[in-house]
Amino acid sequence: MSIKTPGILLLILFFTCSEMYSAPKSNVSLSAGHIPDSLKKNADAIIRYSHTELNVLGIDKVSYKEVYAVTVLNEKGKKFSYMEDYYNLAVKIDKIKGRLYDQHGKEIRALKDREIADRSTYGQSYVFHSDVRTKAHMFNYSQYPYTVEYEITKTFLNTFFLPAWHIQPGYNCAVEQATFELRYNSKAPVKIKEYLDGLSIWKDSTISPEGITRTWKVNGVNAFEWEPYSVYTGYPYPCVLLSAADTFKLMNYNGNMQTWNNLGAFIYKLNEGRDVLPENKKAAVHSLINDTDNISSKVQKLYHYMQQTTRYVANQYGISGWQTFDARHVAENGYGDCKGLTNYLKALLSEAGIKSYAALVHAEEESYYQLDESYPFNAFNHVILCVPRDKDSIWVECTSKEFDAGYLGGFTEGRKVLLLTEEGGFLCNAPRYDKNDNRRIRNAVIRFDPAGSTPNIILHNRYSGIMQDDLRTFLKRESPGKIKEYINTSLPFSSYSVHDYQYNYAQNGKIPVIEETIDLSASGLIHSVEKRTFININWLGNPLKEIYQSTPRTKPIVLNRSFQLTDSVFIPLPEGYELESYPQPAQVDHSFARYRLTFESAGNGAWLVRHFEQDKGIYSAKEFENYQQLYRTLKKESANLMLVLYHKSS
């Protein structure tokens, strides 16, 4: 498993059958002229037919076959004609066939074996060491519409991962026909979880001496346009998930997925005994912690030691997607993946007498699989560490070189995780950061000279929680030159010159904080006409993100973060000047967000304060217009934030 991409074995689950899934060809003409008009709306491509067969022959053998045809209507739909499949020691691709047809359904040519690309995933994303390979092909044809047809036969040599059936490969793609046939027997039963989102699907189940056959059939699934901020299950398109209901096998290891406890026990046993340190590392542990009895301090010191002496590298050989390289290997080589680094820190802590447990999690910054507690299932792609405490456990993101122990960041916060212990697996919650933790506070003091020199601005900004994640990573990783370049190009002023800047790091409990101070001069903010001076504050910007959608909203709005943004601007008034015009107070309240704008004149200065907060949650599609209206209101208001000063005659 890796921090930025799912573990390769998990990739098999999600992607080996994610491109297109099939249904019987016999009653479908491949002529584009025979596509029903109702399926063309919003469609860049049409799955003409797809038929998928999955036969669970035993706990260590599954046969798989998919046959499908997709008609590409335009350039945007070309991506749906791309065929790619992964294989490794646990998955074999037995056969791939393909054909290309013109708009009338007439065959142009057949796929030749030598045209199929066969390449390693080495070097893709964060995957640096892997035995996983991929076979891929695309008919580079551009006379639209055209149709491609593929037949893929595979053998899975494990039942730890069973491929899911995905009806639709993505938005803007319709489905004319699709069927899925699943066969299994009492020696290798299967659990099923459906995400069908109200689709009208015909189902059937038959029992014979050979076992059980279950069938799903669907006709006429319309294409849909993507609705931003709408994903909250991890499966935005209709699909059927499968997992072993009883004993499964992964390589030479047997396990059970009937309960979360059983699944956790299997992963724990898979990695048991791999946390033995070499003698020099044992000595290093004691030299680091011999001056403190505080558990939190010990964890922090050992975590910092690991950060300084190791680096992240994804290792995905054999079953290393789930079985870690041992602690000695990481110690001697100075690198590891998320499992390896987590196991290594676990070993360091164990030497210090501190108990800790690895925890499986589905990591992703925005869209991620939200665990269904009623369906034990291996939907994990990452590992973190938990040091259990009676009141306040310490959670550690072992792949980070920037965070301190006790803070996970936006990649995994707030998720259900599977804690791996000697007594099996237990679901629990990773820490969630709320809007009091995730804050950005910007304070600006603008001083200007009535004689006309460029105004000076002092910015004091404070970022905490998830609001500081990206900035901290950038500041810790980049050179002073890159940081200086960032400061000189990223501020919200059309023309400015930075005189000085400084960053300080702090903690608010376990929540990291960055304090930023910038001294600059900015032109274009102040304009004088006769006795009036106009001070523009539109650089504060719109605190709300834009959601563009031209069609009526049908899906809920999903907001994945709670946070607060506060901006305050203070302008000292030069002698002889008084306020003539200023922004009026404003207040807007919705279920998902609140906004306040206040203004105050105090003695020789003027204060403008703006506050915005958003609450994480899933909100009705009816709230979409409120979101859009709030965005438009704040955009207009932000563009017109201005003070007008009047110079009194002497």
Side-chain angles (χ1 to χ4, degrees):
M1 290 174 292
S2 69
I3 184 170
K4 288 299 183 185
T5 58
I8 288 299
L9 287 175
L10 187 60
L11 280 172
I12 294 169
L13 170 68
F14 284 114
F15 296 130
T16 54
C17 55
S18 68
E19 291 299 325
M20 281 148 250
Y21 294 97
S22 356
K25 175 183 178 182
S26 58
N27 61 346
V28 176
S29 166
L30 294 184
S31 170
H34 290 171
I35 297 173
D37 289 339
S38 59
L39 292 181
K40 295 179 181 178
K41 184 179 179 182
N42 298 325
D44 297 320
I46 314 285
I47 304 299
R48 307 301 304 280
Y49 73 87
S50 65
H51 181 66
T52 301
E53 298 177 7
L54 187 72
N55 191 356
V56 183
L57 302 169
I59 65 170
D60 59 354
K61 189 173 183 180
V62 179
S63 68
Y64 174 87
K65 181 179 180 179
E66 60 173 326
V67 184
Y68 65 86
V70 54
T71 296
V72 179
L73 302 179
N74 54 47
E75 182 69 23
K76 291 182 180 179
K78 196 170 185 176
K79 62 185 177 183
F80 296 110
S81 71
Y82 180 64
M83 184 282 300
E84 183 175 34
D85 238 316
Y86 291 85
Y87 69 98
N88 67 357
L89 296 178
V91 182
K92 293 168 52 182
I93 297 178
D94 302 311
K95 180 176 62 176
I96 296 177
K97 292 183 178 181
R99 294 183 185 277
L100 173 66
Y101 301 87
D102 68 12
Q103 62 178 321
H104 304 296
K106 181 180 178 181
E107 182 179 330
I108 298 174
R109 69 182 186 88
L111 172 65
K112 296 179 176 61
D113 288 345
R114 67 173 182 272
E115 296 176 308
I116 301 173
D118 189 334
R119 50 181 175 256
S120 171
T121 59
Y122 172 86
Q124 294 182 16
S125 184
Y126 280 77
V127 179
F128 299 120
H129 297 284
S130 175
D131 59 9
V132 177
R133 298 185 66 83
T134 179
K135 291 193 175 186
H137 177 262
M138 175 180 280
F139 287 102
N140 288 309
Y141 194 72
S142 58
Q143 296 183 33
Y144 306 105
Y146 66 88
T147 299
V148 299
E149 181 182 54
Y150 286 105
E151 176 182 334
I152 304 170
T153 304
K154 301 194 298 186
T155 302
F156 291 80
L157 303 176
N158 77 96
T159 44
F160 187 51
F161 296 107
L162 294 177
W165 180 54
H166 293 261
I167 298 168
Q168 247 172 326
Y171 59 95
N172 297 119
C173 183
V175 179
E176 191 169 349
Q177 293 185 15
T179 65
F180 176 42
E181 293 183 6
L182 168 67
R183 300 182 186 92
Y184 57 92
N185 56 51
S186 59
K187 295 181 180 179
V190 174
K191 292 187 301 184
I192 299 167
K193 179 70 176 181
E194 297 177 338
Y195 290 91
L196 298 177
D197 196 25
L199 280 182
S200 178
I201 292 187
W202 181 86
K203 304 178 189 178
D204 188 32
S205 181
T206 60
I207 300 176
S208 69
E210 289 74 29
I212 297 172
T213 299
R214 301 196 54 179
T215 305
W216 291 259
K217 294 183 180 181
V218 62
N219 295 313
V221 181
N222 292 322
F224 61 92
E225 289 193 320
W226 174 249
E227 297 189 16
Y229 287 23
S230 64
V231 177
Y232 61 94
T233 66
Y235 298 101
Y237 315 123
C239 67
V240 175
L241 302 185
L242 308 173
S243 62
D246 201 340
T247 302
F248 62 78
K249 190 165 188 176
L250 176 62
M251 305 298 279
N252 295 319
Y253 296 84
N254 287 12
N256 186 287
M257 216 179 297
Q258 286 182 329
T259 67
W260 290 112
N261 188 265
N262 290 345
L263 176 58
F266 171 74
I267 302 296
Y268 183 88
K269 290 292 184 182
L270 198 63
N271 293 284
E272 191 174 23
R274 294 175 173 266
D275 57 352
V276 178
L277 292 171
E279 292 302 320
N280 64 324
K281 295 300 180 181
K282 292 180 180 180
V285 167
H286 295 288
S287 67
L288 285 166
I289 64 170
N290 60 9
D291 61 345
T292 180
D293 294 324
N294 182 275
I295 297 294
S296 295
S297 178
K298 290 180 179 180
V299 172
Q300 200 70 259
K301 287 186 176 184
L302 293 175
Y303 179 50
H304 286 164
Y305 173 73
M306 187 191 76
Q307 288 176 309
Q308 293 163 3
T309 57
T310 62
R311 70 188 191 280
Y312 173 81
V313 173
N315 294 299
Q316 292 170 346
Y317 286 107
I319 57 172
S320 67
W322 294 98
Q323 188 177 66
T324 181
F325 284 95
D326 61 34
R328 178 180 295 275
H329 180 279
V330 176
E332 292 175 350
N333 291 279
Y335 64 80
D337 63 358
C338 61
K339 300 178 307 304
L341 295 176
T342 297
N343 182 63
Y344 181 46
L345 180 58
K346 180 174 178 287
L348 294 173
L349 294 173
S350 179
E351 182 64 25
I354 300 171
K355 193 72 176 177
S356 63
Y357 296 107
L360 301 181
V361 61
H362 194 285
E364 192 71 35
E365 198 66 38
E366 292 294 339
S367 301
Y368 56 89
Y369 177 78
Q370 298 192 7
L371 218 59
D372 183 344
E373 295 185 49
S374 68
Y375 183 68
F377 172 66
N378 187 19
F380 306 105
N381 63 2
H382 189 47
V383 184
I384 54 180
L385 190 70
C386 176
V387 181
R389 309 289 299 277
D390 290 339
K391 293 183 179 180
D392 195 8
S393 297
I394 303 171
W395 295 82
V396 188
E397 172 52 73
C398 297
T399 60
S400 172
K401 282 186 171 292
E402 294 77 40
F403 296 161
D404 288 330
Y407 178 73
L408 293 178
F411 196 54
T412 56
E413 66 95 15
R415 315 294 162 80
K416 283 283 182 186
V417 304
L418 186 62
L419 204 65
L420 307 179
T421 78
E422 306 92 332
E423 297 167 347
F426 297 91
L427 289 181
C428 57
N429 297 313
R432 182 182 301 282
Y433 308 124
D434 63 22
K435 61 187 177 185
N436 293 317
D437 301 317
N438 305 324
R439 303 191 68 181
R440 186 202 69 196
I441 301 172
R442 297 189 299 184
N443 295 307
V445 179
I446 303 176
R447 289 184 171 85
F448 73 97
D449 183 349
S453 63
T454 303
N456 175 254
I457 302 176
I458 302 294
L459 297 176
H460 293 287
N461 303 326
R462 179 183 172 90
Y463 309 88
S464 66
I466 293 171
M467 305 303 284
Q468 60 83 56
D469 282 3
D470 291 343
L471 180 59
R472 177 180 290 262
T473 299
F474 176 80
L475 294 175
K476 293 286 189 178
R477 292 183 181 181
E478 297 297 340
S479 65
K482 284 288 186 181
I483 295 172
K484 183 176 181 180
E485 179 183 346
Y486 165 78
I487 294 295
N488 285 317
T489 57
S490 64
L491 300 183
F493 307 105
S494 58
S495 178
Y496 64 95
S497 177
V498 175
H499 308 307
D500 193 18
Y501 60 89
Q502 184 176 349
Y503 290 96
N504 293 305
Y505 302 94
Q507 290 285 129
N508 181 13
K510 291 183 179 180
I511 305 300
V513 176
I514 295 179
E515 302 275 1
E516 176 185 61
T517 302
I518 304 175
D519 181 354
L520 62 95
S521 298
S523 59
L525 302 184
I526 296 178
H527 304 278
S528 296
V529 179
E530 295 183 347
K531 292 189 175 184
R532 287 176 174 80
T533 297
F534 301 85
I535 303 177
N536 204 334
I537 317 176
N538 62 6
W539 48 270
L540 289 177
N542 190 340
L544 200 63
K545 288 187 176 181
E546 182 177 13
I547 297 180
Y548 176 77
Q549 184 173 329
S550 59
T551 57
R553 184 77 179 194
T554 63
K555 296 183 181 296
I557 302 172
V558 182
L559 302 179
N560 286 318
R561 291 281 180 267
S562 295
F563 61 85
Q564 295 186 59
L565 308 175
T566 302
D567 296 313
S568 67
V569 179
F570 177 66
I571 302 175
L573 299 181
E575 186 176 351
Y577 283 76
E578 64 181 19
L579 279 169
E580 181 179 77
S581 176
Y582 48 85
Q584 295 301 304
Q587 177 175 330
V588 183
D589 293 284
H590 291 293
S591 59
F592 55 88
R594 281 151 298 286
Y595 174 77
R596 302 285 186 277
L597 177 69
T598 60
F599 181 83
E600 181 181 348
S601 177
N604 65 339
W607 284 97
L608 181 142
V609 179
R610 188 180 68 164
H611 181 80
F612 176 84
E613 59 185 58
Q614 174 179 291
D615 292 327
K616 176 179 180 175
I618 301 171
Y619 300 93
S620 165
K622 296 178 181 179
E623 289 280 23
F624 182 69
E625 183 51 40
N626 288 332
Y627 190 104
Q628 293 287 63
Q629 183 58 49
L630 179 58
Y631 175 82
R632 290 190 290 265
T633 297
L634 299 187
K635 181 179 180 180
K636 181 178 179 181
E637 183 177 87
S638 300
N640 294 300
L641 285 177
M642 181 177 291
L643 298 180
V644 181
L645 307 183
Y646 181 74
H647 187 200
K648 297 177 291 186
S649 300
S650 56

